[in-house]
Amino acid sequence: MTRIPPPISASDSAASGGTFAVASGRASAPGSVPPQADLGTHEVTNQPAPMGDGDLFTADPALRCHAAASGADMEHLAHFGGRIGTEEMRAKARAAQRYKPELITHDAGGRRIDEVTFHPAYHDLMQAGIGGGMAALPWEGARGGHATHAAMLYQMTQIEPGVCCPLTMTYAAVPALKANPKLLQDWVPKLTSRRYDGSARALTRKAGATLGMAMTEKQGGSDLRRTATTAVPAEGHYRLTGHKWFCSAPMSDGFLTLAQAQGGLTCFLVPRWLEGTRNGIRIQRLKDKLGNQANASSEIEYDGALAYRLGAEGAGVKTIIEMVHHTRLDTAIAPAGLMRAALVQAHHWATHRTAFQKRLIDQPMMQSVLADLALEAEGTLALSLHVAQSFDSGTESGRAFSRIGVALAKYLGNRLCPQVVFEAMECMGGSGYVEEGPMPMLYREAPLNSIWEGSGNVICLDILRTLVKAPATAEALSNELTLAAGVNRHFDAAIKTHMARFPRLPDEAQARWYAESLASLLTAAVLIRKAPAPVSEAYVSSRLAGARGRTYGTMQGVDTAPLVARITQG
């Protein structure tokens, strides 16, 4: 008869290093070791202990440096980073990722309900973000609201990137709503209430609300002029009919969307619920995505859905671009959070793992790789928070710089992110490749922010158009670069090289080269002004002066020690 071993408690798990041997069930011979003794034969050595609680503010010197320089609320970030980095919140993030959202199209009686169910952990994470003010802070009038929001998103991205999508869109919808004073009055108090209410009911009955976005159609993609959804006047408003290929966060309380009205492409707000009844929004299916598993991206159909116009007919892109401008800020800083999360995992592994009688962290090649990755992560963070500061400035020059700066930051940071996450994964060897740790999630997440809100080619074309159509952006960008001149001769030389290569705006085929060069120069300029000298000097010499190969760990003439020490200095 096979003996069933007793259940193993959590304390047994800790004592045995988390790995259990199952008894074979054979009777033991006289004098032999009983089968249950197998539980003590596997001693775990040379494996780092779990990281446990982490403080995403105190343990991140780069964040403290650049958040302070950008005018963010340091006390608020310290509180949020301490709360969101706990093992409790990390466990909730793992649950939200593992137990994916599920679509329920009909109830048991056959009634169409179009609801998405989430694991309770998802709602807890949403409450942490909404309650922490991620959607509200920039609109409450406090100093540094956008910079604080961006830094909070950087922190949240390290734990659970999926919930950042609805948090971002709720934050970014506010400026677009200004195109309709009545909608602004009705919706903004709920969007900024700091109260998360995931219930399915009309806006008037909710303590707080979220807003999503639905623009992409399968025949058009980034070419919004090919939008086929139609808007017909009805009941003093409009009725929408059409299909949206991507609708992020379909359980939002409303969606900003585009449709063809009589006067042309127009922006609308479509509420999910009307008073006492569901609006004509059908969720066709949830997207089966590579990553971002906790977020229920979907395809939806407008079936005569009631919609409220934002802005004039024909001014749809002009209206919704106000939302896109702010969502791009989040897609610019999110890769910095992903890089930081991957870097911390690699650093923890290298610090507690030995090979060839030495800790990995003490081996020169590992130091070089980690230092290189740390430069990439800090450069992306520094540029994004500097751009966020321009959102807070309230000046025309600040707005001009934010328009070009956010595109450059989004482009470069997202080109680098997948490479950084991969290198960090490789630092951990096979342990970085298994699903028990966070690295596979980060790896799947790494390309996403580049695709959202304009892929690389779209962003590069937008950079060129912006510099042509808005001359103030070129002046603002030139001023930013000039502020860093005269400090580092390699930086000054790189500026001259760029100007010689591009005496005028390039043609389309060279747009990526141009954007990468300009974004790298801007990152260097921010680091020269705001980061410690070892950081800025290493960045300039390796990224601008050519003292580096094509892969990470190939910097030449750089003192890696202060860069590695900066990863987790308290």
Side-chain angles (χ1 to χ4, degrees):
M1 182 177 70
T2 301
R3 179 181 63 82
I4 300 175
I8 300 170
S9 69
S11 59
D12 295 327
S13 170
S16 62
T19 304
F20 309 117
V22 179
S24 66
R26 295 192 297 269
S28 56
S32 66
V33 178
Q36 53 264 46
D38 291 347
L39 295 176
T41 62
H42 183 62
E43 181 183 1
V44 176
T45 61
N46 201 24
Q47 285 278 340
M51 294 181 66
D53 288 346
D55 188 327
L56 301 187
F57 182 79
T58 303
D60 190 344
L63 173 61
R64 298 199 310 275
C65 170
H66 297 290
S70 69
D73 185 334
M74 301 293 280
E75 183 177 351
H76 188 85
L77 292 176
H79 176 77
F80 188 74
R83 174 73 183 99
I84 206 72
T86 62
E87 179 53 34
E88 175 193 6
M89 297 305 289
R90 293 177 189 272
K92 290 180 185 294
R94 291 191 293 271
Q97 295 154 11
R98 180 178 180 183
Y99 301 103
K100 300 179 185 179
E102 294 184 1
L103 172 62
I104 302 174
T105 56
H106 297 77
D107 68 10
R111 302 172 189 86
R112 186 90 193 212
I113 59 173
D114 295 282
E115 296 288 344
V116 178
T117 61
F118 297 83
H119 189 277
Y122 170 89
H123 297 293
D124 292 341
L125 291 160
M126 285 292 293
Q127 175 57 48
I130 292 288
M134 285 183 65
L137 268 169
W139 315 116
E140 293 173 338
R143 178 179 175 271
H146 291 284
T148 306
H149 160 85
M152 290 174 71
L153 186 118
Y154 163 82
Q155 293 174 319
M156 179 67 88
T157 299
Q158 296 175 50
I159 304 301
E160 210 308 283
V163 299
C164 291
C165 176
L167 293 170
T168 287
M169 292 189 296
T170 302
Y171 147 74
V174 172
L177 291 174
K178 294 178 180 178
N180 185 318
K182 179 62 167 63
L183 294 178
L184 186 74
Q185 179 182 349
D186 291 345
W187 281 82
V188 170
K190 300 295 178 75
L191 299 178
T192 59
S193 70
R194 297 202 184 204
R195 296 179 66 184
Y196 171 66
D197 184 346
S199 63
R201 48 187 173 179
L203 180 71
T204 56
R205 300 174 57 204
K206 300 195 67 169
T210 59
L211 264 184
M213 183 192 297
M215 292 198 295
T216 304
E217 298 186 5
K218 53 184 177 288
Q219 79 285 349
S222 297
D223 187 357
L224 298 176
R225 294 169 297 180
R226 300 188 65 183
T227 295
T229 298
T230 59
V232 177
E235 305 157 56
H237 300 292
Y238 293 77
R239 292 282 179 179
L240 269 53
T241 302
H243 175 259
K244 295 295 180 179
W245 186 237
F246 260 95
C247 173
S248 295
M251 298 314 293
S252 300
D253 296 291
F255 309 98
L256 266 62
T257 196
L258 294 175
Q260 298 286 359
Q262 185 175 2
L265 190 61
T266 304
C267 183
F268 296 92
L269 189 155
V270 187
R272 192 158 64 90
W273 275 80
L274 306 174
E275 290 296 337
T277 185
R278 299 172 188 271
N279 204 357
I281 303 172
R282 310 292 181 231
I283 303 177
Q284 294 189 322
R285 62 170 175 164
L286 300 186
K287 293 291 192 180
D288 188 7
K289 300 169 295 184
L290 171 67
N292 212 241
Q293 304 289 10
N295 184 34
S297 302
S298 66
E299 292 175 39
I300 66 169
E301 180 182 7
Y302 295 134
D303 184 11
L306 186 69
Y308 307 118
R309 195 182 75 206
L310 278 169
E313 285 193 0
V317 173
K318 179 182 178 181
T319 302
I320 208 165
I321 202 68
E322 287 297 319
M323 183 176 186
V324 173
H325 181 56
H326 289 78
T327 55
R328 280 186 177 175
L329 175 62
D330 286 14
T331 59
I333 199 163
L338 297 173
M339 289 188 233
R340 171 68 187 175
L343 177 63
V344 168
Q345 291 292 326
H347 184 270
H348 178 74
W349 178 266
T351 303
H352 296 91
R353 178 82 164 179
T354 61
F356 310 110
Q357 291 78 51
K358 293 175 64 177
R359 291 191 311 161
L360 291 178
I361 197 71
D362 296 326
Q363 301 194 25
M365 270 198 295
M366 181 61 76
Q367 291 177 358
S368 184
V369 170
L370 291 175
D372 223 348
L373 300 181
L375 270 183
E376 220 76 287
E378 181 162 354
T380 304
L381 172 65
L383 178 55
S384 298
L385 283 179
H386 185 68
V387 171
Q389 185 180 15
S390 69
F391 278 66
D392 283 313
S393 71
T395 65
E396 286 301 318
S397 60
R399 182 169 177 78
F401 174 68
S402 73
R403 186 173 174 184
I404 189 68
V406 76
L408 291 168
K410 180 186 184 319
Y411 179 75
L412 183 59
N414 284 296
R415 302 267 71 73
L416 301 172
C417 185
Q419 304 170 53
V420 170
V421 174
F422 156 71
E423 287 285 356
M425 177 185 285
E426 188 180 81
C427 288
M428 300 173 66
S431 292
Y433 200 68
V434 297
E435 292 288 350
E436 291 153 315
M439 294 304 297
M441 179 276 289
L442 296 171
Y443 189 69
R444 288 190 294 266
E445 201 75 26
L448 182 56
N449 289 283
S450 182
I451 297 170
W452 270 348
E453 308 302 35
S455 59
N457 286 353
V458 172
I459 294 297
C460 288
L461 292 174
D462 188 53
I463 289 168
L464 297 185
R465 281 194 298 267
T466 298
L467 291 171
V468 169
K469 294 182 177 181
T473 61
E475 182 180 353
L477 182 58
S478 177
N479 290 340
E480 289 287 336
L481 296 174
T482 300
L483 288 172
V487 177
N488 185 303
R489 62 184 178 87
H490 295 301
F491 174 77
D492 295 345
I495 291 283
K496 293 180 181 178
T497 299
H498 175 88
M499 294 176 66
R501 183 177 296 146
F502 301 108
R504 62 187 64 85
L505 289 179
D507 58 30
E508 184 177 315
Q510 293 183 304
R512 280 191 170 223
W513 188 357
Y514 179 79
E516 179 182 323
S517 174
L518 204 52
S520 299
L521 287 168
L522 187 57
T523 302
V526 174
L527 291 175
I528 288 171
R529 294 169 57 194
K530 297 185 174 183
V535 174
S536 62
E537 290 169 2
Y539 188 93
V540 171
S541 68
S542 59
R543 272 63 177 173
L544 301 183
R548 179 176 178 265
R550 294 181 62 189
T551 59
Y552 290 103
T554 58
M555 294 187 298
Q556 302 297 308
V558 170
D559 183 4
T560 61
L563 303 179
V564 174
R566 187 167 167 78
I567 296 173
T568 58
Q569 277 179 344

